[in-house]
């Protein structure tokens, strides 16, 4: 295809020394396949983003880049989390390519789905979401919690694509506008839909991890969910206000009832029930203060305007003509 678009595949990596030698050739095979079919330019690249790994991941990436010019890499000065690593790759790529596809390096997401993504892009869609068609490969617990995660986000007012993680195609045109989103607390699954532009989804089946261990245990999944809710929705604060109104109304009714009983000469007993009520209200107040404190803390972090990522080293020169989008 004449003037085929230049693609950069963005792959965040954290302690992936075991899986990279297995999946890197798979990504390369997919890249070569799309080049041969004329869907993408010969100047397309695979960008590995090392998220401050503690093992030899960065050394593996540097060896790959020396082996083939299509492999390139950047490393962050320290570990900043998966979302920041993906963002660093997208922001690095936006000035060098026409389109990006972000995907995890563990091989669980179907690499072949990139063909369908490219077809949708060539049909005019600037954002293409990779969506899992089913969760048959997950355990019952993981499947239930994951599906509950998306439903809860929707209930809290966060706009996401159901069963979509961070496997997506985004054009550089969209990324230029996405770069204007300056928040420090980021949740890409909820932020990308906010940019707008024409979008669609492709469906695929997820596989087992090819090597190594998952770096996303339940604790991190819950943290990501809470991050998404508090970064993109103020509904929890509205719920606290509603709860406060209901509790206040019930308390007022209780006061009226206590006064009436006292006037009628009835003894008011039940210290145990009173203790339970006091403890319940105290717990509600502490929980409410904790949620509000999370929003205050996020506001505090946003006002600092700290960088969301710092790239300490690259395997390529930033001004290389081989990488420029306009050649």
């Amino acid at each position: 295809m004449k003037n085929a678009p230049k693609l950069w595949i963005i792959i965040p990596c954290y302690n992936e020394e075991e899986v990279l030698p297995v999946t890197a050739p798979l990504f390369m095979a997919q890249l070569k396949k799309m080049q041969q079919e004329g869907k993408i330019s010969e100047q397309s690249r695979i960008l590995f983003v090392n998220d401050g790994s503690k093992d030899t991941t960065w050394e593996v990436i540097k060896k790959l880049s020396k082996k083939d010019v299509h492999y390139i890499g950047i490393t962050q000065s320290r570990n900043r989390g998966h979302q920041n690593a993906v963002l660093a790759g997208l922001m690095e790529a936006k000035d060098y390519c026409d389109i990006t596809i972000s995907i995890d390096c563990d091989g669980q997401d179907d690499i072949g789905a990139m063909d369908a993504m490219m077809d949708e892009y060539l049909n005019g869609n600037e954002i293409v979401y990779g969506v899992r068609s089913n969760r048959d490969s997950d355990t019952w617990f993981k499947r239930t919690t994951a599906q509950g995660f998306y439903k809860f986000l929707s209930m809290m007012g966060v706009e996401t694509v159901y069963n979509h993680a961070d496997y997506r195609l985004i054009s550089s045109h969209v990324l230029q506008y996405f770069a204007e989103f300056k928040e420090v607390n980021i949740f890409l699954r909820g932020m990308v839909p906010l940019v707008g532009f024409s979008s669609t989804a492709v469906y695929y089946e997820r596989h087992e991890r090819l090597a190594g261990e998952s770096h996303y245990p339940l604790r991190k999944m819950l943290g990501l969910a809470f991050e998404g809710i508090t970064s993109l929705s103020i509904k929890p604060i509205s719920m606290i206000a509603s709860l406060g109104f209901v509790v206040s109304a019930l308390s007022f009714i209780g006061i009226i009832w206590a006064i009436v009983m006292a006037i009628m000469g009835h003894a008011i007993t039940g210290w145990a029930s009173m203790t339970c009520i006091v403890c319940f209200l105290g717990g509600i107040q502490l929980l409410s203060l904790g949620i509000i404190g999370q929003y205050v803390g996020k506001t505090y972090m946003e006002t600092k305007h700290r960088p969301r990522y710092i790239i300490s080293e690259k395997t390529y020169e930033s001004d290389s003509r081989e990488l420029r989008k306009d050649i």
Side-chain angles (χ1 to χ4, degrees), residues 3 18 30 54 66 72 85 110 169 176 213 231 279 290:
N3 297 325
E18 294 183 31
Q30 178 64 30
K54 297 178 181 178
K66 292 178 181 179
I72 56 177
D110 183 11
L169 177 151
Q176 299 296 332
E213 297 181 354
S231 296
C279 291

Side-chain angles (χ1 to χ4, degrees), residues 3-17:
N3 297 325
K6 186 186 294 186
L7 166 69
W8 276 31
I9 301 175
I10 312 300
I11 306 173
C13 307
Y14 177 67
N15 292 347
E16 302 289 4
E17 62 181 5

Side-chain angles (χ1 to χ4, degrees), residues 68 84 100 109 120 133 140 163 185 189 216 248 285 308:
D68 193 307
N84 292 78
T100 63
D109 294 319
E120 293 295 345
S133 57
W140 176 87
N163 271 343
N185 303 284
R189 302 178 201 184
Y216 244 83
S248 297
Q285 290 173 342
R308 295 171 292 184

Side-chain angles (χ1 to χ4, degrees), residues 273-290:
S273 59
M274 182 62 67
T275 301
C276 291
I277 292 173
V278 171
C279 291
F280 171 74
L281 291 177
I284 291 294
Q285 290 173 342
L286 289 175
L287 176 62
S288 301
L289 286 173

Side-chain angles (χ1 to χ4, degrees), residues 84-152:
N84 292 78
V86 175
L87 179 67
L90 294 175
M91 294 299 99
E92 177 69 15
K94 66 181 175 61
D95 296 324
Y96 297 107
C97 65
D98 300 298
I99 43 178
T100 63
I101 294 180
S102 58
I103 183 173
D104 289 340
C105 70
D106 54 19
Q108 289 188 276
D109 294 319
D110 183 11
I111 298 174
M114 291 184 188
D115 289 315
M117 288 183 171
M118 284 302 308
D119 291 338
E120 293 295 345
Y121 170 76
L122 296 173
N123 286 334
N125 291 291
E126 298 205 60
I127 303 175
V128 184
Y129 300 100
V131 179
R132 295 182 63 173
S133 57
N134 61 68
R135 287 186 171 270
D136 295 340
S137 61
D138 290 346
T139 63
W140 176 87
F141 179 76
K142 186 173 182 180
R143 180 169 58 253
T144 302
T145 54
Q147 290 175 341
F149 163 74
Y150 289 103
K151 292 177 181 178
F152 187 65

